[in-house]
Amino acid sequence: MAVAVQQGAPNPMLVLAGEILQSRQEIDELEERLKELKKLNEQQESQLIEMMLAEEVDKFVFAGRTFYPSTRLWASIKAEHKDEAIEWLENSDFADLVKKQVNSQSLSSLVKELRENDEMPEEFERYLNISERVTLTVRKGAKG
């Protein structure tokens, strides 16, 4: 049941709602600042790596920290070749890289739908860890 809460006398629910809105705003501002700092840090690191390469400096120590460029490599399978790549891996010495997985968000949606329709098979449910968490949803609404 939705209840319109009138503003006026200090209502503990309204006080807490105001605090929630304020903390969410602060979180949003901090997340935005963190994005900005990460972008700045990435630019600074790129500049320092360029300087080190230009001056042929492998590493140096500053403020008790050692600075040196390192290379990381990430690989992923092209979507259009996923089946062929998995088959190749399974038939190679690298078969242990292939894992059967289930997308957790899709599984959660399936379980929710099965439960809502009272169609959850007991034999399937015993294989699952299911937990629920109640969260507060806040949207812009009518002014009041």
Side-chain angles (χ1 to χ4, degrees):
M1 163 174 56
V3 177
V5 181
Q6 298 296 321
Q7 292 188 12
N11 178 315
M13 195 175 354
L14 293 179
V15 170
L16 189 54
E19 291 171 359
I20 290 169
L21 290 176
Q22 181 177 348
S23 64
R24 286 184 177 193
Q25 181 178 348
E26 289 178 31
I27 289 168
D28 289 346
E29 290 169 0
L30 287 170
E31 286 175 344
E32 186 59 36
R33 180 65 179 139
L34 181 60
K35 285 181 195 176
E36 292 169 4
L37 286 172
K38 284 183 176 184
K39 185 176 179 180
L40 174 62
N41 185 256
E42 188 177 316
Q43 291 169 348
Q44 292 168 330
E45 287 183 14
S46 180
Q47 289 176 342
L48 183 56
I49 289 169
E50 286 179 27
M51 288 176 165
M52 291 175 72
L53 293 174
E55 297 184 28
E56 298 181 5
V57 174
D58 293 335
K59 64 182 176 179
F60 66 91
V61 177
F62 175 75
R65 305 285 176 104
T66 302
F67 291 74
Y68 60 96
S70 60
T71 302
R72 293 185 188 177
L73 182 139
W74 286 269
S76 63
I77 296 173
K78 295 177 182 176
E80 66 269 20
H81 296 293
K82 182 177 181 180
D83 293 338
E84 297 98 317
I86 289 173
E87 183 178 340
W88 185 90
L89 287 166
E90 288 175 332
N91 295 320
S92 73
D93 293 337
F94 311 108
D96 59 322
L97 291 177
V98 180
K99 308 281 185 225
K100 286 187 179 183
Q101 293 185 340
V102 176
N103 180 285
S104 63
Q105 287 182 318
S106 297
L107 178 62
S108 296
S109 295
L110 171 64
V111 169
K112 181 179 179 184
E113 181 180 328
L114 291 173
R115 281 182 157 190
E116 286 174 353
N117 296 325
D118 289 325
E119 297 174 354
M120 174 60 95
E122 287 183 31
E123 66 273 13
F124 180 52
E125 188 169 7
R126 72 173 171 234
Y127 302 132
L128 306 174
N129 290 317
I130 301 171
S131 62
E132 294 179 307
R133 179 176 168 212
V134 177
T135 60
L136 182 66
T137 301
V138 179
R139 307 186 259 202
K140 291 184 179 179
K143 296 183 180 185

PDB file of all heavy atoms in Angstrom, residues 57-92:
ATOM      1  N   VAL A  57      64.395   5.015 -20.164  1.00  0.00           N
ATOM      2  CA  VAL A  57      64.462   4.724 -18.730  1.00  0.00           C
ATOM      3  C   VAL A  57      63.579   3.501 -18.478  1.00  0.00           C
ATOM      4  O   VAL A  57      62.374   3.542 -18.716  1.00  0.00           O
ATOM      5  CB  VAL A  57      63.969   5.929 -17.890  1.00  0.00           C
ATOM      6  CG1 VAL A  57      63.897   5.579 -16.416  1.00  0.00           C
ATOM      7  CG2 VAL A  57      64.855   7.129 -18.134  1.00  0.00           C
ATOM      8  N   ASP A  58      64.200   2.403 -18.023  1.00  0.00           N
ATOM      9  CA  ASP A  58      63.447   1.174 -17.754  1.00  0.00           C
ATOM     10  C   ASP A  58      62.627   1.279 -16.479  1.00  0.00           C
ATOM     11  O   ASP A  58      61.501   0.796 -16.409  1.00  0.00           O
ATOM     12  CB  ASP A  58      64.390  -0.026 -17.625  1.00  0.00           C
ATOM     13  CG  ASP A  58      65.066  -0.362 -18.941  1.00  0.00           C
ATOM     14  OD1 ASP A  58      64.507  -0.033 -19.997  1.00  0.00           O
ATOM     15  OD2 ASP A  58      66.158  -0.961 -18.898  1.00  0.00           O
ATOM     16  N   LYS A  59      63.219   1.891 -15.448  1.00  0.00           N
ATOM     17  CA  LYS A  59      62.526   2.064 -14.169  1.00  0.00           C
ATOM     18  C   LYS A  59      63.261   3.117 -13.351  1.00  0.00           C
ATOM     19  O   LYS A  59      64.421   3.432 -13.601  1.00  0.00           O
ATOM     20  CB  LYS A  59      62.441   0.752 -13.402  1.00  0.00           C
ATOM     21  CG  LYS A  59      63.765   0.170 -12.970  1.00  0.00           C
ATOM     22  CD  LYS A  59      63.564  -1.147 -12.258  1.00  0.00           C
ATOM     23  CE  LYS A  59      64.904  -1.773 -11.900  1.00  0.00           C
ATOM     24  NZ  LYS A  59      64.754  -3.035 -11.195  1.00  0.00           N
ATOM     25  N   PHE A  60      62.553   3.666 -12.371  1.00  0.00           N
ATOM     26  CA  PHE A  60      63.170   4.610 -11.446  1.00  0.00           C
ATOM     27  C   PHE A  60      62.428   4.553 -10.122  1.00  0.00           C
ATOM     28  O   PHE A  60      61.302   4.073 -10.049  1.00  0.00           O
ATOM     29  CB  PHE A  60      63.210   6.040 -12.017  1.00  0.00           C
ATOM     30  CG  PHE A  60      61.858   6.658 -12.209  1.00  0.00           C
ATOM     31  CD1 PHE A  60      61.263   7.419 -11.197  1.00  0.00           C
ATOM     32  CD2 PHE A  60      61.173   6.521 -13.415  1.00  0.00           C
ATOM     33  CE1 PHE A  60      60.021   8.009 -11.379  1.00  0.00           C
ATOM     34  CE2 PHE A  60      59.935   7.107 -13.602  1.00  0.00           C
ATOM     35  CZ  PHE A  60      59.354   7.851 -12.579  1.00  0.00           C
ATOM     36  N   VAL A  61      63.086   5.034  -9.077  1.00  0.00           N
ATOM     37  CA  VAL A  61      62.490   5.055  -7.742  1.00  0.00           C
ATOM     38  C   VAL A  61      62.211   6.502  -7.367  1.00  0.00           C
ATOM     39  O   VAL A  61      63.070   7.373  -7.525  1.00  0.00           O
ATOM     40  CB  VAL A  61      63.432   4.395  -6.701  1.00  0.00           C
ATOM     41  CG1 VAL A  61      62.833   4.497  -5.304  1.00  0.00           C
ATOM     42  CG2 VAL A  61      63.709   2.948  -7.070  1.00  0.00           C
ATOM     43  N   PHE A  62      61.005   6.747  -6.886  1.00  0.00           N
ATOM     44  CA  PHE A  62      60.605   8.077  -6.441  1.00  0.00           C
ATOM     45  C   PHE A  62      59.664   7.901  -5.259  1.00  0.00           C
ATOM     46  O   PHE A  62      58.734   7.096  -5.307  1.00  0.00           O
ATOM     47  CB  PHE A  62      59.912   8.842  -7.580  1.00  0.00           C
ATOM     48  CG  PHE A  62      59.356  10.170  -7.159  1.00  0.00           C
ATOM     49  CD1 PHE A  62      60.206  11.257  -6.944  1.00  0.00           C
ATOM     50  CD2 PHE A  62      57.993  10.350  -6.968  1.00  0.00           C
ATOM     51  CE1 PHE A  62      59.702  12.486  -6.546  1.00  0.00           C
ATOM     52  CE2 PHE A  62      57.479  11.581  -6.572  1.00  0.00           C
ATOM     53  CZ  PHE A  62      58.343  12.648  -6.359  1.00  0.00           C
ATOM     54  N   ALA A  63      59.911   8.650  -4.209  1.00  0.00           N
ATOM     55  CA  ALA A  63      59.072   8.633  -2.999  1.00  0.00           C
ATOM     56  C   ALA A  63      58.901   7.210  -2.474  1.00  0.00           C
ATOM     57  O   ALA A  63      57.818   6.818  -2.038  1.00  0.00           O
ATOM     58  CB  ALA A  63      57.712   9.287  -3.279  1.00  0.00           C
ATOM     59  N   GLY A  64      59.974   6.434  -2.554  1.00  0.00           N
ATOM     60  CA  GLY A  64      59.936   5.079  -2.027  1.00  0.00           C
ATOM     61  C   GLY A  64      59.180   4.091  -2.889  1.00  0.00           C
ATOM     62  O   GLY A  64      58.913   2.968  -2.470  1.00  0.00           O
ATOM     63  N   ARG A  65      58.822   4.485  -4.106  1.00  0.00           N
ATOM     64  CA  ARG A  65      58.074   3.617  -5.014  1.00  0.00           C
ATOM     65  C   ARG A  65      58.870   3.443  -6.302  1.00  0.00           C
ATOM     66  O   ARG A  65      59.501   4.381  -6.778  1.00  0.00           O
ATOM     67  CB  ARG A  65      56.710   4.221  -5.366  1.00  0.00           C
ATOM     68  CG  ARG A  65      55.832   4.568  -4.207  1.00  0.00           C
ATOM     69  CD  ARG A  65      55.221   3.295  -3.594  1.00  0.00           C
ATOM     70  NE  ARG A  65      54.435   3.597  -2.418  1.00  0.00           N
ATOM     71  CZ  ARG A  65      53.110   3.613  -2.395  1.00  0.00           C
ATOM     72  NH1 ARG A  65      52.441   3.386  -3.486  1.00  0.00           N
ATOM     73  NH2 ARG A  65      52.484   3.867  -1.275  1.00  0.00           N
ATOM     74  N   THR A  66      58.840   2.227  -6.864  1.00  0.00           N
ATOM     75  CA  THR A  66      59.496   1.957  -8.136  1.00  0.00           C
ATOM     76  C   THR A  66      58.470   2.090  -9.253  1.00  0.00           C
ATOM     77  O   THR A  66      57.389   1.498  -9.190  1.00  0.00           O
ATOM     78  CB  THR A  66      60.100   0.536  -8.159  1.00  0.00           C
ATOM     79  OG1 THR A  66      61.011   0.411  -7.076  1.00  0.00           O
ATOM     80  CG2 THR A  66      60.823   0.274  -9.468  1.00  0.00           C
ATOM     81  N   PHE A  67      58.815   2.883 -10.247  1.00  0.00           N
ATOM     82  CA  PHE A  67      57.956   3.105 -11.412  1.00  0.00           C
ATOM     83  C   PHE A  67      58.570   2.382 -12.605  1.00  0.00           C
ATOM     84  O   PHE A  67      59.769   2.530 -12.861  1.00  0.00           O
ATOM     85  CB  PHE A  67      57.867   4.606 -11.731  1.00  0.00           C
ATOM     86  CG  PHE A  67      57.113   5.414 -10.718  1.00  0.00           C
ATOM     87  CD1 PHE A  67      57.673   5.720  -9.474  1.00  0.00           C
ATOM     88  CD2 PHE A  67      55.841   5.898 -11.000  1.00  0.00           C
ATOM     89  CE1 PHE A  67      56.984   6.473  -8.543  1.00  0.00           C
ATOM     90  CE2 PHE A  67      55.147   6.663 -10.070  1.00  0.00           C
ATOM     91  CZ  PHE A  67      55.718   6.950  -8.841  1.00  0.00           C
ATOM     92  N   TYR A  68      57.775   1.613 -13.314  1.00  0.00           N
ATOM     93  CA  TYR A  68      58.251   0.967 -14.538  1.00  0.00           C
ATOM     94  C   TYR A  68      57.050   0.598 -15.399  1.00  0.00           C
ATOM     95  O   TYR A  68      55.978   0.259 -14.892  1.00  0.00           O
ATOM     96  CB  TYR A  68      59.095  -0.275 -14.228  1.00  0.00           C
ATOM     97  CG  TYR A  68      58.372  -1.347 -13.450  1.00  0.00           C
ATOM     98  CD1 TYR A  68      57.767  -2.420 -14.105  1.00  0.00           C
ATOM     99  CD2 TYR A  68      58.302  -1.301 -12.063  1.00  0.00           C
ATOM    100  CE1 TYR A  68      57.106  -3.400 -13.393  1.00  0.00           C
ATOM    101  CE2 TYR A  68      57.653  -2.273 -11.351  1.00  0.00           C
ATOM    102  CZ  TYR A  68      57.058  -3.329 -12.015  1.00  0.00           C
ATOM    103  OH  TYR A  68      56.393  -4.297 -11.305  1.00  0.00           O
ATOM    104  N   PRO A  69      57.212   0.675 -16.715  1.00  0.00           N
ATOM    105  CA  PRO A  69      56.106   0.289 -17.589  1.00  0.00           C
ATOM    106  C   PRO A  69      55.992  -1.233 -17.646  1.00  0.00           C
ATOM    107  O   PRO A  69      56.999  -1.931 -17.611  1.00  0.00           O
ATOM    108  CB  PRO A  69      56.501   0.865 -18.956  1.00  0.00           C
ATOM    109  CG  PRO A  69      57.968   1.076 -18.894  1.00  0.00           C
ATOM    110  CD  PRO A  69      58.340   1.232 -17.452  1.00  0.00           C
ATOM    111  N   SER A  70      54.797  -1.726 -17.667  1.00  0.00           N
ATOM    112  CA  SER A  70      54.565  -3.160 -17.827  1.00  0.00           C
ATOM    113  C   SER A  70      53.461  -3.344 -18.864  1.00  0.00           C
ATOM    114  O   SER A  70      52.601  -2.479 -19.028  1.00  0.00           O
ATOM    115  CB  SER A  70      54.193  -3.813 -16.498  1.00  0.00           C
ATOM    116  OG  SER A  70      53.013  -3.244 -15.976  1.00  0.00           O
ATOM    117  N   THR A  71      53.519  -4.458 -19.540  1.00  0.00           N
ATOM    118  CA  THR A  71      52.545  -4.742 -20.597  1.00  0.00           C
ATOM    119  C   THR A  71      51.624  -5.853 -20.137  1.00  0.00           C
ATOM    120  O   THR A  71      52.082  -6.884 -19.658  1.00  0.00           O
ATOM    121  CB  THR A  71      53.269  -5.170 -21.891  1.00  0.00           C
ATOM    122  OG1 THR A  71      54.158  -4.120 -22.276  1.00  0.00           O
ATOM    123  CG2 THR A  71      52.283  -5.437 -23.003  1.00  0.00           C
ATOM    124  N   ARG A  72      50.330  -5.623 -20.274  1.00  0.00           N
ATOM    125  CA  ARG A  72      49.331  -6.647 -19.979  1.00  0.00           C
ATOM    126  C   ARG A  72      48.637  -6.996 -21.278  1.00  0.00           C
ATOM    127  O   ARG A  72      48.442  -6.141 -22.139  1.00  0.00           O
ATOM    128  CB  ARG A  72      48.300  -6.126 -18.980  1.00  0.00           C
ATOM    129  CG  ARG A  72      48.867  -5.863 -17.621  1.00  0.00           C
ATOM    130  CD  ARG A  72      47.775  -5.464 -16.670  1.00  0.00           C
ATOM    131  NE  ARG A  72      48.334  -5.020 -15.388  1.00  0.00           N
ATOM    132  CZ  ARG A  72      47.611  -4.571 -14.398  1.00  0.00           C
ATOM    133  NH1 ARG A  72      46.311  -4.490 -14.519  1.00  0.00           N
ATOM    134  NH2 ARG A  72      48.185  -4.187 -13.282  1.00  0.00           N
ATOM    135  N   LEU A  73      48.255  -8.246 -21.401  1.00  0.00           N
ATOM    136  CA  LEU A  73      47.591  -8.705 -22.614  1.00  0.00           C
ATOM    137  C   LEU A  73      46.235  -9.296 -22.235  1.00  0.00           C
ATOM    138  O   LEU A  73      46.131 -10.030 -21.255  1.00  0.00           O
ATOM    139  CB  LEU A  73      48.457  -9.776 -23.297  1.00  0.00           C
ATOM    140  CG  LEU A  73      47.926 -10.315 -24.612  1.00  0.00           C
ATOM    141  CD1 LEU A  73      49.056 -10.482 -25.595  1.00  0.00           C
ATOM    142  CD2 LEU A  73      47.157 -11.603 -24.423  1.00  0.00           C
ATOM    143  N   TRP A  74      45.204  -8.924 -22.958  1.00  0.00           N
ATOM    144  CA  TRP A  74      43.873  -9.485 -22.785  1.00  0.00           C
ATOM    145  C   TRP A  74      43.462 -10.103 -24.103  1.00  0.00           C
ATOM    146  O   TRP A  74      43.685  -9.514 -25.171  1.00  0.00           O
ATOM    147  CB  TRP A  74      42.843  -8.418 -22.414  1.00  0.00           C
ATOM    148  CG  TRP A  74      42.963  -7.929 -21.014  1.00  0.00           C
ATOM    149  CD1 TRP A  74      42.335  -8.428 -19.916  1.00  0.00           C
ATOM    150  CD2 TRP A  74      43.757  -6.830 -20.546  1.00  0.00           C
ATOM    151  NE1 TRP A  74      42.694  -7.713 -18.798  1.00  0.00           N
ATOM    152  CE2 TRP A  74      43.572  -6.720 -19.165  1.00  0.00           C
ATOM    153  CE3 TRP A  74      44.615  -5.932 -21.157  1.00  0.00           C
ATOM    154  CZ2 TRP A  74      44.185  -5.770 -18.383  1.00  0.00           C
ATOM    155  CZ3 TRP A  74      45.231  -4.986 -20.380  1.00  0.00           C
ATOM    156  CH2 TRP A  74      45.017  -4.911 -19.019  1.00  0.00           C
ATOM    157  N   ALA A  75      42.856 -11.262 -24.047  1.00  0.00           N
ATOM    158  CA  ALA A  75      42.369 -11.920 -25.253  1.00  0.00           C
ATOM    159  C   ALA A  75      40.925 -12.348 -25.028  1.00  0.00           C
ATOM    160  O   ALA A  75      40.531 -12.689 -23.915  1.00  0.00           O
ATOM    161  CB  ALA A  75      43.233 -13.134 -25.582  1.00  0.00           C
ATOM    162  N   SER A  76      40.154 -12.312 -26.092  1.00  0.00           N
ATOM    163  CA  SER A  76      38.792 -12.814 -26.032  1.00  0.00           C
ATOM    164  C   SER A  76      38.464 -13.435 -27.382  1.00  0.00           C
ATOM    165  O   SER A  76      39.094 -13.112 -28.395  1.00  0.00           O
ATOM    166  CB  SER A  76      37.799 -11.700 -25.691  1.00  0.00           C
ATOM    167  OG  SER A  76      37.792 -10.725 -26.705  1.00  0.00           O
ATOM    168  N   ILE A  77      37.501 -14.303 -27.372  1.00  0.00           N
ATOM    169  CA  ILE A  77      37.099 -14.978 -28.595  1.00  0.00           C
ATOM    170  C   ILE A  77      36.121 -14.091 -29.344  1.00  0.00           C
ATOM    171  O   ILE A  77      35.183 -13.549 -28.758  1.00  0.00           O
ATOM    172  CB  ILE A  77      36.451 -16.341 -28.264  1.00  0.00           C
ATOM    173  CG1 ILE A  77      37.484 -17.252 -27.607  1.00  0.00           C
ATOM    174  CG2 ILE A  77      35.875 -16.979 -29.511  1.00  0.00           C
ATOM    175  CD1 ILE A  77      36.918 -18.560 -27.077  1.00  0.00           C
ATOM    176  N   LYS A  78      36.341 -13.952 -30.639  1.00  0.00           N
ATOM    177  CA  LYS A  78      35.410 -13.191 -31.476  1.00  0.00           C
ATOM    178  C   LYS A  78      34.066 -13.911 -31.470  1.00  0.00           C
ATOM    179  O   LYS A  78      34.002 -15.136 -31.606  1.00  0.00           O
ATOM    180  CB  LYS A  78      35.929 -13.094 -32.906  1.00  0.00           C
ATOM    181  CG  LYS A  78      37.206 -12.305 -33.030  1.00  0.00           C
ATOM    182  CD  LYS A  78      37.697 -12.319 -34.473  1.00  0.00           C
ATOM    183  CE  LYS A  78      39.018 -11.568 -34.594  1.00  0.00           C
ATOM    184  NZ  LYS A  78      39.555 -11.645 -35.958  1.00  0.00           N
ATOM    185  N   ALA A  79      33.000 -13.161 -31.300  1.00  0.00           N
ATOM    186  CA  ALA A  79      31.664 -13.739 -31.185  1.00  0.00           C
ATOM    187  C   ALA A  79      31.323 -14.650 -32.360  1.00  0.00           C
ATOM    188  O   ALA A  79      30.758 -15.731 -32.172  1.00  0.00           O
ATOM    189  CB  ALA A  79      30.619 -12.626 -31.055  1.00  0.00           C
ATOM    190  N   GLU A  80      31.711 -14.227 -33.553  1.00  0.00           N
ATOM    191  CA  GLU A  80      31.363 -15.012 -34.742  1.00  0.00           C
ATOM    192  C   GLU A  80      32.155 -16.314 -34.859  1.00  0.00           C
ATOM    193  O   GLU A  80      31.840 -17.174 -35.673  1.00  0.00           O
ATOM    194  CB  GLU A  80      31.519 -14.174 -36.021  1.00  0.00           C
ATOM    195  CG  GLU A  80      32.940 -13.763 -36.336  1.00  0.00           C
ATOM    196  CD  GLU A  80      33.355 -12.423 -35.753  1.00  0.00           C
ATOM    197  OE1 GLU A  80      32.703 -11.945 -34.799  1.00  0.00           O
ATOM    198  OE2 GLU A  80      34.341 -11.864 -36.251  1.00  0.00           O
ATOM    199  N   HIS A  81      33.200 -16.479 -34.027  1.00  0.00           N
ATOM    200  CA  HIS A  81      34.026 -17.692 -34.077  1.00  0.00           C
ATOM    201  C   HIS A  81      34.031 -18.446 -32.747  1.00  0.00           C
ATOM    202  O   HIS A  81      34.893 -19.294 -32.514  1.00  0.00           O
ATOM    203  CB  HIS A  81      35.464 -17.341 -34.470  1.00  0.00           C
ATOM    204  CG  HIS A  81      35.577 -16.769 -35.840  1.00  0.00           C
ATOM    205  ND1 HIS A  81      35.315 -17.491 -36.972  1.00  0.00           N
ATOM    206  CD2 HIS A  81      35.906 -15.524 -36.255  1.00  0.00           C
ATOM    207  CE1 HIS A  81      35.484 -16.729 -38.041  1.00  0.00           C
ATOM    208  NE2 HIS A  81      35.834 -15.518 -37.624  1.00  0.00           N
ATOM    209  N   LYS A  82      33.064 -18.131 -31.881  1.00  0.00           N
ATOM    210  CA  LYS A  82      33.048 -18.720 -30.547  1.00  0.00           C
ATOM    211  C   LYS A  82      32.994 -20.246 -30.593  1.00  0.00           C
ATOM    212  O   LYS A  82      33.786 -20.921 -29.932  1.00  0.00           O
ATOM    213  CB  LYS A  82      31.862 -18.171 -29.743  1.00  0.00           C
ATOM    214  CG  LYS A  82      31.797 -18.701 -28.331  1.00  0.00           C
ATOM    215  CD  LYS A  82      30.651 -18.088 -27.553  1.00  0.00           C
ATOM    216  CE  LYS A  82      30.631 -18.630 -26.142  1.00  0.00           C
ATOM    217  NZ  LYS A  82      29.539 -18.050 -25.368  1.00  0.00           N
ATOM    218  N   ASP A  83      32.058 -20.804 -31.378  1.00  0.00           N
ATOM    219  CA  ASP A  83      31.905 -22.258 -31.423  1.00  0.00           C
ATOM    220  C   ASP A  83      33.166 -22.947 -31.928  1.00  0.00           C
ATOM    221  O   ASP A  83      33.612 -23.942 -31.353  1.00  0.00           O
ATOM    222  CB  ASP A  83      30.709 -22.642 -32.298  1.00  0.00           C
ATOM    223  CG  ASP A  83      29.383 -22.216 -31.688  1.00  0.00           C
ATOM    224  OD1 ASP A  83      29.326 -22.014 -30.459  1.00  0.00           O
ATOM    225  OD2 ASP A  83      28.402 -22.076 -32.443  1.00  0.00           O
ATOM    226  N   GLU A  84      33.761 -22.401 -32.998  1.00  0.00           N
ATOM    227  CA  GLU A  84      34.966 -23.005 -33.567  1.00  0.00           C
ATOM    228  C   GLU A  84      36.136 -22.918 -32.583  1.00  0.00           C
ATOM    229  O   GLU A  84      36.898 -23.876 -32.438  1.00  0.00           O
ATOM    230  CB  GLU A  84      35.365 -22.332 -34.887  1.00  0.00           C
ATOM    231  CG  GLU A  84      34.343 -22.469 -35.989  1.00  0.00           C
ATOM    232  CD  GLU A  84      33.443 -21.246 -36.125  1.00  0.00           C
ATOM    233  OE1 GLU A  84      32.984 -20.706 -35.091  1.00  0.00           O
ATOM    234  OE2 GLU A  84      33.198 -20.827 -37.255  1.00  0.00           O
ATOM    235  N   ALA A  85      36.260 -21.779 -31.913  1.00  0.00           N
ATOM    236  CA  ALA A  85      37.361 -21.603 -30.962  1.00  0.00           C
ATOM    237  C   ALA A  85      37.217 -22.561 -29.785  1.00  0.00           C
ATOM    238  O   ALA A  85      38.209 -23.163 -29.340  1.00  0.00           O
ATOM    239  CB  ALA A  85      37.421 -20.156 -30.483  1.00  0.00           C
ATOM    240  N   ILE A  86      36.003 -22.706 -29.275  1.00  0.00           N
ATOM    241  CA  ILE A  86      35.767 -23.622 -28.152  1.00  0.00           C
ATOM    242  C   ILE A  86      36.059 -25.055 -28.577  1.00  0.00           C
ATOM    243  O   ILE A  86      36.702 -25.818 -27.840  1.00  0.00           O
ATOM    244  CB  ILE A  86      34.336 -23.460 -27.595  1.00  0.00           C
ATOM    245  CG1 ILE A  86      34.231 -22.119 -26.864  1.00  0.00           C
ATOM    246  CG2 ILE A  86      33.958 -24.619 -26.678  1.00  0.00           C
ATOM    247  CD1 ILE A  86      32.842 -21.751 -26.406  1.00  0.00           C
ATOM    248  N   GLU A  87      35.613 -25.411 -29.767  1.00  0.00           N
ATOM    249  CA  GLU A  87      35.885 -26.763 -30.270  1.00  0.00           C
ATOM    250  C   GLU A  87      37.393 -26.989 -30.396  1.00  0.00           C
ATOM    251  O   GLU A  87      37.911 -28.044 -30.024  1.00  0.00           O
ATOM    252  CB  GLU A  87      35.199 -26.976 -31.622  1.00  0.00           C
ATOM    253  CG  GLU A  87      35.360 -28.375 -32.173  1.00  0.00           C
ATOM    254  CD  GLU A  87      34.642 -28.588 -33.498  1.00  0.00           C
ATOM    255  OE1 GLU A  87      33.722 -27.806 -33.822  1.00  0.00           O
ATOM    256  OE2 GLU A  87      35.012 -29.526 -34.209  1.00  0.00           O
ATOM    257  N   TRP A  88      38.104 -26.010 -30.912  1.00  0.00           N
ATOM    258  CA  TRP A  88      39.560 -26.129 -31.061  1.00  0.00           C
ATOM    259  C   TRP A  88      40.214 -26.326 -29.696  1.00  0.00           C
ATOM    260  O   TRP A  88      41.075 -27.193 -29.523  1.00  0.00           O
ATOM    261  CB  TRP A  88      40.129 -24.885 -31.748  1.00  0.00           C
ATOM    262  CG  TRP A  88      41.598 -25.011 -32.027  1.00  0.00           C
ATOM    263  CD1 TRP A  88      42.176 -25.515 -33.155  1.00  0.00           C
ATOM    264  CD2 TRP A  88      42.666 -24.647 -31.144  1.00  0.00           C
ATOM    265  NE1 TRP A  88      43.545 -25.492 -33.025  1.00  0.00           N
ATOM    266  CE2 TRP A  88      43.877 -24.966 -31.803  1.00  0.00           C
ATOM    267  CE3 TRP A  88      42.736 -24.100 -29.873  1.00  0.00           C
ATOM    268  CZ2 TRP A  88      45.125 -24.741 -31.235  1.00  0.00           C
ATOM    269  CZ3 TRP A  88      43.980 -23.882 -29.296  1.00  0.00           C
ATOM    270  CH2 TRP A  88      45.169 -24.200 -29.979  1.00  0.00           C
ATOM    271  N   LEU A  89      39.786 -25.515 -28.719  1.00  0.00           N
ATOM    272  CA  LEU A  89      40.350 -25.641 -27.373  1.00  0.00           C
ATOM    273  C   LEU A  89      40.045 -27.014 -26.765  1.00  0.00           C
ATOM    274  O   LEU A  89      40.910 -27.638 -26.149  1.00  0.00           O
ATOM    275  CB  LEU A  89      39.816 -24.530 -26.464  1.00  0.00           C
ATOM    276  CG  LEU A  89      40.373 -23.135 -26.707  1.00  0.00           C
ATOM    277  CD1 LEU A  89      39.522 -22.088 -25.995  1.00  0.00           C
ATOM    278  CD2 LEU A  89      41.825 -23.047 -26.268  1.00  0.00           C
ATOM    279  N   GLU A  90      38.794 -27.481 -26.923  1.00  0.00           N
ATOM    280  CA  GLU A  90      38.402 -28.772 -26.358  1.00  0.00           C
ATOM    281  C   GLU A  90      39.215 -29.925 -26.944  1.00  0.00           C
ATOM    282  O   GLU A  90      39.463 -30.919 -26.259  1.00  0.00           O
ATOM    283  CB  GLU A  90      36.903 -29.025 -26.573  1.00  0.00           C
ATOM    284  CG  GLU A  90      36.025 -28.157 -25.711  1.00  0.00           C
ATOM    285  CD  GLU A  90      34.547 -28.302 -25.992  1.00  0.00           C
ATOM    286  OE1 GLU A  90      34.172 -28.646 -27.143  1.00  0.00           O
ATOM    287  OE2 GLU A  90      33.755 -28.063 -25.067  1.00  0.00           O
ATOM    288  N   ASN A  91      39.638 -29.790 -28.209  1.00  0.00           N
ATOM    289  CA  ASN A  91      40.400 -30.841 -28.885  1.00  0.00           C
ATOM    290  C   ASN A  91      41.904 -30.626 -28.797  1.00  0.00           C
ATOM    291  O   ASN A  91      42.668 -31.301 -29.490  1.00  0.00           O
ATOM    292  CB  ASN A  91      39.967 -30.948 -30.355  1.00  0.00           C
ATOM    293  CG  ASN A  91      38.535 -31.408 -30.480  1.00  0.00           C
ATOM    294  OD1 ASN A  91      38.089 -32.282 -29.751  1.00  0.00           O
ATOM    295  ND2 ASN A  91      37.798 -30.814 -31.397  1.00  0.00           N
ATOM    296  N   SER A  92      42.325 -29.720 -27.947  1.00  0.00           N
ATOM    297  CA  SER A  92      43.745 -29.411 -27.818  1.00  0.00           C
ATOM    298  C   SER A  92      44.211 -29.748 -26.404  1.00  0.00           C
ATOM    299  O   SER A  92      43.445 -30.267 -25.593  1.00  0.00           O
ATOM    300  CB  SER A  92      43.993 -27.921 -28.099  1.00  0.00           C
ATOM    301  OG  SER A  92      43.521 -27.140 -27.008  1.00  0.00           O
TER     302      SER A  92
END
